[in-house]
Amino acid sequence: MHIRVGWRRLIGAAVTALLALAVPGAFAATATLVPVDDTTIYQGVDPVTSEDFEVNSCGAGSNLFAGVTNDGLLRRALLRFDIAGSIPAGSTINSVTLTIDVDRSGDNQDSTMTLSPILADWCEGAANCDSVRGGGQGVPADPGDATWLDAMFQQTAWGTPGGDSGAISGSAVIGTRGVFLWDSTAPGNDGMVDDVQSWLDSSATNFGWIVVGEEARSSTTRRFSSVEGQNDPVLTVDFTPVGDVFACCFDDGACSVTDTISCSGQGGTPDTSTNSCSPNPCPQPQGACCNVDESCSDDVARDVCEAAGGTFEGAGSACSQGSVDCGLEPFVDPLPIPAVLQPVSTRPDGVPQYEVTMTEEQQILHRDLPATDVWTYNGTFPGPTIEATLGQPVEVKYTNSLPNTGQRRGGHYLEVDECAHGPNYWQDTARAVVHLHGGHVPARVDGNPEYDFLPGEFDTYEYPNNQLPATLWYHDHALGITRLNVYMGMAAFYLIRDGFETALGLPAGNNEIPLVLQDREFNPDGSFFYPPTIQDAFFGDKLLVNGKVWPYLDVDRGKYRFRFLNGSQARVYKLRLENLADPAQVIPFQLIGTDGGLIDAPIPLDTITMAPAERFDVVVDFGAFPVDSEIVLRNDGPGGPSLPNVMKFVVQAQTG
């Protein structure tokens, strides 16, 4: 979503080089490079719009694609590294690894991907498709851009559509999400060393590699970050130089190992006092650092920033500069609190009657995101909270007013995998049914996945509420598309109370707050991204609380009752509270209830681990903290992209 062009693109050379004595007079060095050029070329024609992808490109985009789409169309990635400008002439290449960071896949199976040397010159170009359908189809190429048909659009055609390439140099098994690499020391991958050696010896032949996925089956596409993205492809080269080499320092703090002439020619300054870049002897500039949690810190040394996993934005940069884009800044939006649903009428027998209508709306989920299309209960994501009383039934009329047509196939907003049971025999997939999760209810109103209703239809449920007070939630349950409907926003709290609980004097009113945690992933246009095929486990890279990304809440100096719900599909949360003024301080949760209701007595917990759909009822006391204290709810849970931030509490002057 966000493009960063910094020191990595400007020098196009070794980021670091580690030098160690091998034998007297001979040194082994390791250079780490990022691409100087990378792009995706696209094959095929859109079966719906007839758009010709073979004249599309995306050289300036933040992602690369390789493999086969769900529609059977091919994607291939092109990568080129400045070998001769990064490694001293005459060096011997010993081994090579290429690392990529995959964040999206077309299926949930491992896929073999190969590297082959490109045999003709090509250009990356300036086309940027980030804001168009996730980048997977590109945008019309500018003259000179590499495309499926042309090495340079409207100038030079490939000899073979899809890129002119030699024999396979290396292969690797690439999973569905994570960091993967091609290693020249693996059997059959020694051609990678030959390629890099030839590019070093003759830079005029360096046209880079083409990345090809499994093209004999569909849905093998992998999306990985380009050099304009957040996690560069990285080429690591182990080599043995000839002659005297020294550390070479650049203005941005980067260090390489080379001879003095090559160093000066690259704009660096030789440091003849050392022949090692480990530790880095070069002066480190200070500037803005984009941290792993997408926050920004000023006046951070480059090496310190990168050691912590951040991205350095350049010497003298500042978080306030418009060119510094760290993603979505955390803790800038106030926490929304779902409204309590009010009855529309009362039956003659005294049963309150509620109405819940499913609609598609637009909602701002973060200050810096465009409006997102969401599917709602009564117009909000998450929906309104229903509060019931033990032993007193309620009637709820659910009406499906979702649109009949979606932005993709069928009647659903998201793409539907028709291999699943359910969508393969329903034509209109904008259907819904409601399940009261944790409710003790008759089968007729339990949200049977096959008892769904289509747009324009409704159903009426009566819930008996003959169970102990507890935190429940209601959500969609339609056969084969539950994951899609809930992901679009169809979830809300349902709380059962009784007189005994009320008499306990627990925090109430403004001091009792339900919190639903849901991970999501966004397309550049603000819409939700969701994989087109069923996944074993989906993990988003943004965390929403009550429908806002990383919100904050102003709290009084007193006790609060938080009803936590893990509304994510696969992510397990391990929650803790951190005082920014004293990170070592342990701030306990007082556990008072779980899925089934209140427990016998409070239990102090330093952390809370929540699996999907679990609920935890806790009390947190902010009374001992000074005014303006900032207490951050952190997540240390495993799985998927790291999401350390949940939300922030800011202590106010009022006494709770």
Side-chain angles (χ1 to χ4, degrees), residues 261-522:
I261 295 176
S262 297
C263 177
S264 299
Q266 296 172 21
T269 301
D271 183 348
T272 56
S273 66
T274 179
N275 53 21
S276 174
C277 283
S278 180
N280 188 341
C282 303
Q284 294 296 299
Q286 290 193 321
C289 177
C290 289
N291 303 308
V292 292
D293 64 2
E294 302 194 29
S295 63
C296 185
S297 301
D298 278 321
D299 300 322
V300 180
R302 196 197 100 175
D303 56 349
V304 173
C305 173
E306 293 172 356
T311 301
F312 187 67
E313 294 298 306
S317 60
C319 295
S320 59
Q321 293 175 345
S323 59
V324 174
D325 182 2
C326 292
L328 298 180
E329 184 179 352
F331 316 137
V332 297
D333 292 301
L335 173 77
I337 299 177
V340 175
L341 188 63
Q342 300 301 313
V344 294
S345 60
T346 303
R347 287 191 334 209
D349 60 359
V351 172
Q353 296 174 299
Y354 296 87
E355 290 186 355
V356 174
T357 302
M358 307 165 197
T359 61
E360 181 176 300
E361 309 289 345
Q362 284 201 324
Q363 194 165 311
I364 298 294
L365 306 184
H366 185 277
R367 179 193 65 186
D368 299 327
L369 276 176
T372 301
D373 293 328
V374 292
W375 284 10
T376 74
Y377 292 133
N378 283 10
T380 63
F381 158 59
T385 299
I386 296 176
E387 294 193 357
T389 302
L390 174 63
Q392 297 182 10
V394 300
E395 178 184 288
V396 185
K397 177 183 177 182
Y398 294 107
T399 301
N400 185 345
S401 293
L402 295 170
N404 270 308
T405 57
Q407 68 172 13
R408 297 191 175 98
R409 60 183 64 171
H412 208 286
Y413 189 92
L414 299 172
E415 189 166 351
V416 178
D417 186 343
E418 297 183 358
C419 292
H421 180 58
N424 55 4
Y425 58 89
W426 264 292
Q427 296 302 313
D428 189 339
T429 55
R431 50 194 169 79
V433 65
V434 182
H435 173 62
L436 180 57
H437 199 116
H440 300 176
V441 300
R444 164 66 183 83
V445 298
D446 197 28
N448 186 312
E450 296 186 278
Y451 289 0
D452 58 59
F453 35 105
L454 301 176
E457 299 178 343
F458 67 89
D459 202 350
T460 301
Y461 291 177
E462 181 177 310
Y463 298 129
N465 300 317
N466 55 1
Q467 63 189 97
L468 292 176
T471 304
L472 313 181
W473 62 303
Y474 61 99
H475 61 78
D476 189 79
H477 217 221
L479 184 64
I481 57 169
T482 293
R483 70 195 185 285
L484 305 181
N485 290 357
V486 175
Y487 191 80
M488 283 296 295
M490 296 169 67
F493 283 94
Y494 187 107
L495 309 180
I496 301 179
R497 306 184 184 277
D498 73 352
F500 175 81
E501 178 187 333
T502 302
L504 292 175
L506 297 170
N510 293 335
N511 289 62
E512 179 188 12
I513 300 175
L515 300 172
V516 55
L517 280 54
Q518 299 167 297
D519 57 344
R520 296 289 187 267
E521 185 172 342
F522 294 92

Side-chain angles (χ1 to χ4, degrees), residues 128-334:
N128 189 333
C129 62
D130 281 354
S131 63
V132 182
R133 292 169 290 186
Q137 297 170 345
V139 292
D142 294 326
D145 292 356
T147 68
W148 187 264
L149 301 176
D150 296 314
M152 300 178 191
F153 182 58
Q154 296 180 347
Q155 297 174 17
T156 306
W158 296 111
T160 301
D164 304 337
S165 60
I168 294 174
S169 304
S171 65
V173 175
I174 308 297
T176 59
R177 186 182 287 259
V179 177
F180 303 96
L181 58 84
W182 290 264
D183 187 348
S184 69
T185 63
N189 285 2
D190 52 347
M192 297 172 63
V193 171
D194 297 336
D195 291 342
V196 175
Q197 186 72 63
S198 69
W199 297 336
L200 174 63
D201 297 341
S202 177
S203 60
T205 65
N206 180 7
F207 307 128
W209 281 306
I210 187 167
V211 183
V212 179
E214 284 190 35
E215 297 185 346
R217 62 184 178 91
S218 65
S219 303
T220 62
T221 310
R222 297 294 185 269
R223 185 184 83 172
F224 55 98
S225 181
S226 74
V227 75
E228 287 89 357
Q230 298 200 18
N231 298 293
D232 303 325
V234 174
L235 178 66
T236 304
V237 182
D238 180 272
F239 64 94
T240 301
V242 294
D244 294 330
V245 293
F246 304 97
C248 179
C249 292
F250 296 90
D251 291 342
D252 65 353
C255 179
S256 67
V257 176
T258 186
D259 58 80
T260 56
I261 295 176
S262 297
C263 177
S264 299
Q266 296 172 21
T269 301
D271 183 348
T272 56
S273 66
T274 179
N275 53 21
S276 174
C277 283
S278 180
N280 188 341
C282 303
Q284 294 296 299
Q286 290 193 321
C289 177
C290 289
N291 303 308
V292 292
D293 64 2
E294 302 194 29
S295 63
C296 185
S297 301
D298 278 321
D299 300 322
V300 180
R302 196 197 100 175
D303 56 349
V304 173
C305 173
E306 293 172 356
T311 301
F312 187 67
E313 294 298 306
S317 60
C319 295
S320 59
Q321 293 175 345
S323 59
V324 174
D325 182 2
C326 292
L328 298 180
E329 184 179 352
F331 316 137
V332 297
D333 292 301

Side-chain angles (χ1 to χ4, degrees), residues 585-656:
Q585 179 184 6
V586 176
I587 305 173
F589 303 95
Q590 295 291 334
L591 179 68
I592 63 171
T594 58
D595 295 4
L598 297 177
I599 59 178
D600 291 340
I603 301 174
L605 297 174
D606 294 345
T607 62
I608 294 174
T609 301
M610 299 177 63
E614 276 195 303
R615 286 88 69 202
F616 280 82
D617 199 344
V618 304
V619 171
V620 176
D621 190 354
F622 297 101
F625 296 102
V627 175
D628 295 330
S629 294
E630 296 182 330
I631 313 299
V632 176
L633 183 63
R634 301 286 194 196
N635 166 49
D636 299 321
S642 176
L643 288 178
N645 285 332
V646 181
M647 62 175 295
K648 182 170 71 174
F649 303 99
V650 182
V651 180
Q652 306 298 301
Q654 298 90 340
T655 300

Side-chain angles (χ1 to χ4, degrees), residues 519-541:
D519 57 344
R520 296 289 187 267
E521 185 172 342
F522 294 92
N523 292 310
D525 63 0
S527 62
F528 285 137
F529 165 78
Y530 193 81
T533 55
I534 293 178
Q535 309 289 299
D536 287 338
F538 170 80
F539 299 97
D541 58 7

